[in-house]
Amino acid sequence: MKILLAEDDAKIAGYIVSGLSEHGHSVEHVADGRDALSYCLYNECDLAILDRMLPGMDGLSVLKALRASQKPLPVLFLTALGQVDDRVEGLAAGGDDYLPKPFHFSELVARIDAIVRRKSETRSEPTMSVHDLTLDLLSRTATRQGSVIELHNKEFSILEILMRNSGRVVTRTLLLERVWNFNFEPNTTVVETHVSRLRTKVDKPFDTRLIHTIRNTGYCMHGPR
């Protein structure tokens, strides 16, 4: 993978660049948030690893700007801001994973590999449909009744899981594990927040509701019955 690393600690950055290079990845390092955003917007890469506390522009702002640009680039936060609220904030903003410092390098590699697997899985089937909603896994776009629906990475991942399991209940726990690859405290609302945003785009403008809440369990996607 071609990876952008935004890290202002030169020692940590050198350690990560060296280790990821040994694992066959090509790594571009920047130490400033503005440089990170510019690189991601105007260069092709497969993953961005962002520190939260960057000079020039903090990592969370970089992520929000990327998501606003609609560029479907996976983002992994690697940061000392590791409290539950910090993690939820980063993931709710559209981050794909969140690894607090200090960290074990083997875990970083495992999380990157998980992102690679999720990307490759989306290539296995070109399209899938539920009722009048179609998801194109290659272009990462959704359409309903001829209208293109703009989705952020997490929203796309949630929708893909729901559509792959059409007619079956998808638990909240499964979404946490599959979409974020992370174990949260039980009281987090990150799933509900993202599903609510997804419903606003997928269901609200149309007559037929497709995403159904299964109380105290999770969600089920299906058309009219």
Side-chain angles (χ1 to χ4, degrees):
M1 295 178 75
K2 188 172 183 179
I3 299 173
L4 182 279
L5 171 65
E7 170 61 64
D8 63 333
D9 185 308
K11 185 175 180 180
I12 293 176
Y15 168 67
I16 295 172
V17 170
S18 176
L20 292 181
S21 297
E22 289 178 3
H23 279 77
H25 299 296
S26 174
V27 186
E28 179 74 22
H29 170 238
V30 298
D32 183 279
R34 291 167 299 190
D35 292 338
L37 178 60
S38 177
Y39 185 89
C40 291
L41 289 176
Y42 300 110
N43 296 273
E44 291 300 321
C45 59
D46 301 300
L47 171 70
I49 301 175
L50 303 180
D51 188 6
R52 284 281 299 268
M53 298 180 289
L54 291 168
M57 187 179 192
D58 66 271
L60 192 63
S61 296
V62 173
L63 172 65
K64 290 178 178 178
L66 280 173
R67 295 297 174 251
S69 75
Q70 299 296 324
K71 186 165 186 176
L73 175 66
V75 172
L76 185 155
F77 278 114
L78 184 63
T79 175
L81 296 177
Q83 297 299 313
V84 171
D85 288 346
D86 297 320
R87 287 177 277 168
V88 170
E89 183 180 30
L91 293 167
D96 294 85
D97 207 344
Y98 201 110
L99 181 59
K101 298 173 183 175
F103 64 97
H104 292 285
F105 187 77
S106 58
E107 183 176 4
L108 174 62
V109 171
R111 288 176 181 271
I112 291 173
D113 288 344
I115 291 174
V116 173
R117 286 196 302 273
R118 289 200 292 270
K119 288 186 67 176
S120 64
E121 285 172 1
T122 64
R123 300 189 182 104
S124 59
E125 302 173 16
T127 62
M128 60 178 70
S129 298
V130 173
H131 189 47
D132 55 359
L133 174 67
T134 300
L135 195 67
D136 188 316
L137 302 177
L138 298 179
S139 64
R140 294 186 67 82
T141 57
T143 56
R144 188 170 183 187
Q145 296 180 13
S147 299
V148 177
I149 302 170
E150 298 291 344
L151 299 173
H152 292 157
N153 282 346
K154 291 302 184 187
E155 295 166 349
F156 187 94
S157 297
I158 292 170
L159 185 59
E160 179 184 351
I161 292 171
L162 292 175
M163 293 180 73
R164 285 188 185 278
N165 293 278
S166 176
R168 298 190 294 269
V169 176
V170 175
T171 66
R172 179 175 174 274
T173 300
L174 185 145
L175 288 173
L176 285 170
E177 292 175 350
R178 290 285 301 278
V179 177
W180 284 272
N181 192 35
F182 204 88
N183 292 320
F184 283 91
E185 290 189 356
N187 61 353
T188 180
T189 60
V190 68
V191 172
E192 289 81 357
T193 298
H194 279 76
V195 171
S196 176
R197 292 175 182 170
L198 185 59
R199 276 178 163 149
T200 299
K201 299 177 179 181
V202 170
D203 277 345
K204 191 173 181 179
F206 306 95
D207 294 332
T208 303
R209 184 162 56 99
L210 300 179
I211 302 174
H212 304 267
T213 299
I214 308 301
R215 189 174 180 182
N216 299 323
T217 304
Y219 306 92
C220 182
M221 187 166 208
H222 61 78
R225 290 179 172 177

